[in-house]
C-alpha cells in the first residue's frame, strides 16, 4: 500500500499488508520466538545488518513489523516499530538520541506517566529536562534550550489536561536549535492529526488507547518522519552519526539514511538490550482495532462534542474543557490542527467540589469508573481521588487538576443514552 494518494480511511483498513496470490487475507500471526537459517553465514549477515530478515522476536517479528508498517503509512512516515507500551515508546524514542549529560525540553502538559519518566527516571540516568507550558511564547520556549538539549517533546492533545500543542511553533523552534520534535499523538490519532505535516520529526503512540480502541492490549509505537537530517547535526547525535562498535562499526545515519536510521538504531540497540517489543498476538489485535480506527474516531468525536455541549449548558457544571467548544481556550488551535475533531475525552468540574464530583460519578450507570481512556465503552475518572490521590488541594491546583475535575472518555455508545445517563446522575446530586 505505498500509494501516496490513498485516503487514510483506506490505509486504516488495508495499509501495511498486501497479500500475494494464495496468501492469507488477514495478517498472519507469526507466533515464533526464533527463525531458521540454512547456514551460519546467512544468519551472520542479519547480525551485521547486511541482510533483512528475522532471527529473534525480542528484536523484530514479522507480525509486529506488518502492523508497524500500517502505522507508518497512517502517519505518513518512513519507518516504524511497535513497543510493549506507550511508556516504552516514549522512553525508547527519547533514549535513542539522549545520553547521560543530555537535556530535553518538554511540554509540562503531558501524560503523568511520561512526566514521571522524564522528570524522575531519566534524571536518574543523567538526562535532565526543562518543562515549559504548551502555551509559552517563542521567547520562553527558546529560553528553555541549553547547549546539551537533544529533543523537544509534547502531546498533540495532552492527557488529561486536553491542551492542544502548537506543533508548527514547537517544530520551528526545535529545528532552529538543531534538534527534533517528538510528538505523542495518542489522543488525536493520525485520523485527526498527522504531526509530520506540521513539522514534527518523530511521532509516538500509546496504541493501548484509540488505536486498539477496545481495551484489549497494552502497546505502543514509534514512527519516524524520515525528515530530520541527523548528519547535519552530527555533533549532537553521536549514537546515529558515529560508528556503533556493538554493531561492527555501522554508522546508522550513513548506512540507513534519514529515512531509516532512527528506527534501525532503536531496533538493533534498544530492543536488543531492553526487549520491550510487542507480542505478535497483541499486534494482531491492535491491527483489528486499526481497521476501524477512522470509523470509530468520528463517533468518539461526535459523542465527545455532544456531551461537552450538554455539560456546558448544565447549571450544576462549573466548567468544561473540550477544544471542540467555541469558547474553549484551545478552540482556535484545534481548528488548525484538528479540523475533523479532537477525541472523545472531555473534562469538567462539578459544582460543589470534590464530594459532588465523586457523588455524581457514583450515580452513573453507563459510564464506568476506570483508570482508562479512549475505549469503546464510556468511562470516567476522578483524578483527585485516584491517579492524583497523594496530592493535597494546593498541589492539585499546581498540577492543573482541580479537586472537582472529572475526566470522561466518551465511547461508542449512543450519544443520547450517554447524555441521559449524565443528566440523571446530575439530578441526584
Ligand atoms: C496512556 C498514555 C501513555 C502511556 O501509554 P501506556 O500504553 O499506558 O504505557 C503515554 N502517552 C499518552 C498520551 C497516554 O494517554
Amino acid at each position: 500500500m505505498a500509494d501516496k494518494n490513498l485516503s487514510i480511511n483506506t490505509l486504516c483498513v488495508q495499509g501495511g499488508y498486501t497479500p500475494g496470490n494464495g496468501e492469507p487475507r488477514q495478517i498472519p500471526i507469526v507466533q515464533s520466538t526464533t527463525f531458521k537459517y540454512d547456514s551460519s553465514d546467512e544468519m551472520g549477515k542479519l547480525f551485521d545488518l547486511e541482510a533483512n530478515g528475522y532471527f529473534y522476536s525480542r528484536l523484530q517479528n514479522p507480525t509486529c513489523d506488518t502492523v508497524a508498517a500500517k502505522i507508518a503509512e497512517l502517519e505518513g512516515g518512513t519507518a516504524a516499530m511497535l513497543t510493549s507500551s506507550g511508556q516504552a515508546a516514549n522512553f525508547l524514542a527519547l533514549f535513542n538520541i539522549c545520553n547521560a549529560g543530555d537535556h530535553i525540553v518538554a511540554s509540562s502538559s503531558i501524560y503523568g506517566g511520561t512526566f514521571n519518566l522524564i522528570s524522575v527516571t531519566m534524571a536518574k540516568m543523567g538526562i535532565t529536562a526543562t518543562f515549559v507550558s504548551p502555551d509559552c511564547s517563542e521567547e520562553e520556549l527558546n529560553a528553555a534550550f541549553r547547549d546539551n538539549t537533544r529533543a523537544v517533546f509534547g502531546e498533540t492533545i495532552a492527557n488529561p489536561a486536553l491542551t492542544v500543542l502548537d506543533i508548527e511553533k514547537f517544530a520551528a523552534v526545535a529545528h532552529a536549535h538543531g534538534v527534533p520534535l517528538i510528538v505523542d499523538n495518542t489522543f488525536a490519532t493520525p485520523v485527526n492529526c498527522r504531526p509530520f505535516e506540521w513539522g514534527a520529526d518523530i511521532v509516538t503512540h500509546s496504541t493501548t488507547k484509540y488505536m486498539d480502541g477496545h481495551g484489549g492490549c497494552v502497546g505502543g509505537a514509534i514512527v519516524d518522519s524520515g525528515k530530520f537530517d541527523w548528519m547535519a547535526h552530527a555533533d549532537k547525535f553521536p549514537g546515529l552519526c558515529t560508528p556503533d562498535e556493538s554493531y561492527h562499526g555501522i554508522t546508522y545515519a550513513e548506512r540507513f539514511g534519514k529515512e531509516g536510521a532512527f528506527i534501525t538504531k532503536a531496533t538493533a540497540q534498544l530492543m536488543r538490550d531492553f526487549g520491550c517489543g510487542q507480542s505478535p498476538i497483541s499486534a494482531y489485535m491492535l491491527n483489528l482495532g486499526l481497521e476501524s480506527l477512522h470509523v470509530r474516531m468520528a463517533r468518539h468525536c461526535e459523542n465527545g462534542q455532544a456531551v461537552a455541549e450538554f455539560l456546558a449548558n448544565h447549571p450544576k457544571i462549573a466548567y468544561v474543557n473540550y477544544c471542540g467548544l467555541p469558547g474553549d481556550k484551545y478552540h482556535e488551535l484545534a481548528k488548525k490542527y484538528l479540523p475533523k475533531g479532537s477525541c472523545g475525552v472531555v473534562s469538567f468540574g462539578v459544582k460543589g467540589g470534590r464530594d459532588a464530583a465523586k457523588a455524581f460519578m457514583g450515580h452513573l450507570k453507563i459510564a464506568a469508573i476506570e483508570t482508562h481512556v479512549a475505549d469503546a465503552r464510556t468511562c470516567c475518572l476522578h483524578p483527585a481521588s485516584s491517579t492524583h490521590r497523594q496530592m493535597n488541594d494546593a498541589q492539585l491546583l499546581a498540577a492543573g487538576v482541580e479537586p472537582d475535575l472529572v475526566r470522561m472518555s466518551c465511547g461508542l455508545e449512543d450519544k443520547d443514552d450517554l447524555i441521559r445517563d449524565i443528566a440523571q446522575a446530575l439530578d441526584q446530586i
Side-chain angles (χ1 to χ4, degrees):
M1 287 283 128
D3 183 346
K4 289 258 185 288
N5 296 317
L6 287 176
S7 154
I8 193 147
N9 299 345
T10 303
L11 294 175
C12 280
V13 185
Q14 296 209 15
Y17 178 63
T18 309
N21 188 45
E23 288 177 359
R25 188 69 187 99
Q26 184 51 281
I27 64 168
I29 302 173
V30 182
Q31 189 64 41
S32 181
T33 56
T34 192
F35 302 81
K36 177 242 172 204
Y37 286 89
D38 289 340
S39 73
S40 297
D41 286 342
E42 287 206 44
M43 187 180 281
K45 287 181 197 154
L46 302 178
F47 275 85
D48 285 351
L49 301 180
E50 274 171 18
N52 275 327
Y54 298 92
F55 53 91
Y56 192 49
S57 287
R58 169 159 32 87
L59 289 89
Q60 264 187 306
N61 170 277
T63 309
C64 296
D65 279 358
T66 301
V67 181
K70 174 181 279 190
I71 295 174
E73 288 179 21
L74 293 178
E75 288 287 3
T78 54
M81 69 200 290
L82 299 189
T83 58
S84 55
S85 68
Q87 286 294 106
N90 283 326
F91 173 60
L92 293 197
L94 289 165
F95 196 65
N96 206 31
I97 48 175
C98 296
N99 296 316
D102 288 343
H103 174 256
I104 296 162
V105 173
S107 164
S108 58
S109 186
I110 52 176
Y111 177 66
T114 313
F115 186 83
N116 197 71
L117 166 70
I118 295 174
S119 63
V120 179
T121 300
M122 292 188 77
K124 288 182 194 163
M125 303 170 135
I127 298 165
T128 55
T130 300
F131 291 92
V132 295
S133 161
D135 311 329
C136 69
S137 67
E138 227 171 284
E139 293 68 39
E140 288 167 320
L141 187 51
N142 271 311
F145 281 79
R146 301 189 196 153
D147 290 344
N148 57 344
T149 302
R150 296 293 177 262
V152 179
F153 182 89
E155 294 177 4
T156 312
I157 306 169
N159 175 14
L162 303 179
T163 56
V164 177
L165 190 73
D166 191 342
I167 300 172
E168 222 171 14
K169 178 170 88 183
F170 273 68
V173 174
H175 296 162
H177 290 271
V179 303
L181 172 65
I182 302 175
V183 172
D184 181 332
N185 197 32
T186 297
F187 267 24
T189 84
V191 170
N192 284 343
C193 178
R194 303 213 293 173
F196 295 156
E197 292 172 357
W198 303 101
D201 303 285
I202 307 290
V203 156
T204 58
H205 281 280
S206 165
T207 62
T208 316
K209 313 294 167 52
Y210 288 118
M211 283 190 164
D212 173 292
H214 300 79
C217 294
V218 172
I222 307 174
V223 192
D224 184 5
S225 67
K227 288 189 199 144
F228 194 84
D229 191 350
W230 306 106
M231 274 303 192
H233 307 283
D235 55 321
K236 288 186 160 70
F237 305 105
L240 284 156
C241 303
T242 57
D244 177 2
E245 295 313 332
S246 76
Y247 256 112
H248 314 288
I250 283 173
T251 299
Y252 295 99
E254 263 172 13
R255 175 79 79 85
F256 300 100
K258 287 192 290 191
E259 294 76 16
F262 191 88
I263 295 295
T264 305
K265 175 178 179 288
T267 304
Q269 277 183 351
L270 303 186
M271 279 301 182
R272 176 195 63 191
D273 295 352
F274 294 129
C276 46
Q278 204 168 109
S279 81
I281 285 187
S282 290
Y284 177 87
M285 288 173 68
L286 167 58
N287 188 56
L288 290 180
L290 291 171
E291 288 183 359
S292 64
L293 182 66
H294 55 303
V295 182
R296 292 184 290 106
M297 283 314 287
R299 176 62 78 90
H300 282 295
C301 292
E302 183 187 333
N303 287 357
Q305 185 74 31
V307 165
E309 285 172 10
F310 171 78
L311 291 167
N313 292 313
H314 198 285
K316 290 188 181 172
I317 296 299
Y319 58 88
V320 181
N321 303 319
Y322 190 72
C323 65
L325 290 178
D328 191 83
K329 186 176 174 190
Y330 297 97
H331 190 60
E332 290 307 312
L333 281 177
K335 276 203 264 183
K336 173 175 174 178
Y337 292 110
L338 302 156
K340 291 203 273 182
S342 57
C343 63
V345 185
V346 182
S347 68
F348 51 95
V350 182
K351 283 184 187 165
R354 181 189 289 265
D355 292 338
K358 283 201 281 189
F360 158 73
M361 286 172 56
H363 292 303
L364 290 167
K365 294 193 172 78
I366 296 177
I369 298 170
E370 290 171 22
T371 313
H372 192 43
V373 283
D375 188 330
R377 290 153 293 249
T378 296
C379 56
C380 60
L381 180 80
H382 182 230
S385 56
S386 56
T387 50
H388 296 63
R389 190 181 183 83
Q390 71 285 2
M391 296 183 179
N392 62 34
D393 283 5
Q395 289 172 318
L396 284 172
L397 291 180
V401 178
E402 312 263 343
D404 62 356
L405 182 101
V406 175
R407 182 186 73 186
M408 182 173 284
S409 169
C410 298
L412 300 175
E413 303 90 344
D414 188 90
K415 63 183 179 223
D416 294 332
D417 287 341
L418 293 180
I419 288 170
R420 255 196 307 277
D421 188 31
I422 293 166
Q424 64 81 24
L426 285 172
D427 284 348
Q428 294 187 61
I429 62 167

